[in-house]
Amino acid sequence: MSAPTDGLDSTPPPQRILVIDDEAVIGAGCKRILGAEGHQVDVFQDPASGLQAALTGDYDLVLLDLVMPGLDGMTILKDLKAAGVPSAVVVITGYATVESAVEAMKLGAADYVGKPFTPDHLKIVVRKVCERSALLR
């Protein structure tokens, strides 16, 4: 016999998540943590390639590092906003400052996570942003 439900499920459906981070260990960790939650996770270490993938608009969520060689995260965030890409963006960075957080939020970032972060913190932020995005749709 199954337990009665009120029709609400606290677990968001699997999401398509793109990670753009030049640190291999961060990308691999995000893929492992979020993949175990049922999400499809693609990782790009090269920011230009990651931007091209994000511009397709095929992702529900983009996890974006701010400080990368060649193309920084703020530029990518501006490009995604200018292109009208519907993906939610969560900024992840080891160089967290109040100024960069405010700038990222003004550019449309849904949240901001400082490195290092714990697996639980990442899962909580991703869940919160995905739930908020679902409500907005």
Side-chain angles (χ1 to χ4, degrees):
M1 176 185 239
S2 63
T5 65
D6 58 6
L8 299 176
D9 183 1
S10 63
T11 304
Q15 304 290 301
R16 291 204 62 221
I17 299 173
L18 173 64
V19 179
I20 305 173
D21 195 309
D22 61 314
E23 295 180 61
V25 69
I26 296 293
C30 288
K31 185 169 185 140
R32 181 180 46 79
I33 293 163
L34 298 173
E37 295 285 299
H39 303 295
Q40 176 188 329
V41 182
D42 295 328
V43 178
F44 285 86
Q45 283 183 260
D46 172 56
S49 297
L51 172 60
Q52 289 307 308
L55 287 172
T56 66
D58 290 338
Y59 293 94
D60 301 299
L61 176 65
V62 177
L63 298 176
L64 177 63
D65 187 15
L66 284 186
V67 180
M68 297 179 285
L71 187 61
D72 67 87
M74 287 296 186
T75 301
I76 292 173
L77 194 52
K78 289 174 188 174
D79 290 348
L80 294 177
K81 183 177 181 178
V85 173
S87 307
V89 177
V90 172
V91 170
I92 53 176
T93 185
Y95 301 96
T97 65
V98 172
E99 294 80 14
S100 62
V102 168
E103 183 180 356
M105 299 304 234
K106 284 182 180 178
L107 292 172
D111 212 328
Y112 194 92
V113 177
K115 293 178 191 175
F117 49 83
T118 65
D120 285 340
H121 185 217
L122 180 64
K123 289 188 276 189
I124 288 167
V125 169
V126 166
R127 177 173 287 184
K128 179 180 73 170
V129 170
C130 291
E131 288 172 350
R132 190 176 339 147
S133 294
L135 287 174
L136 292 174
R137 282 187 228 121

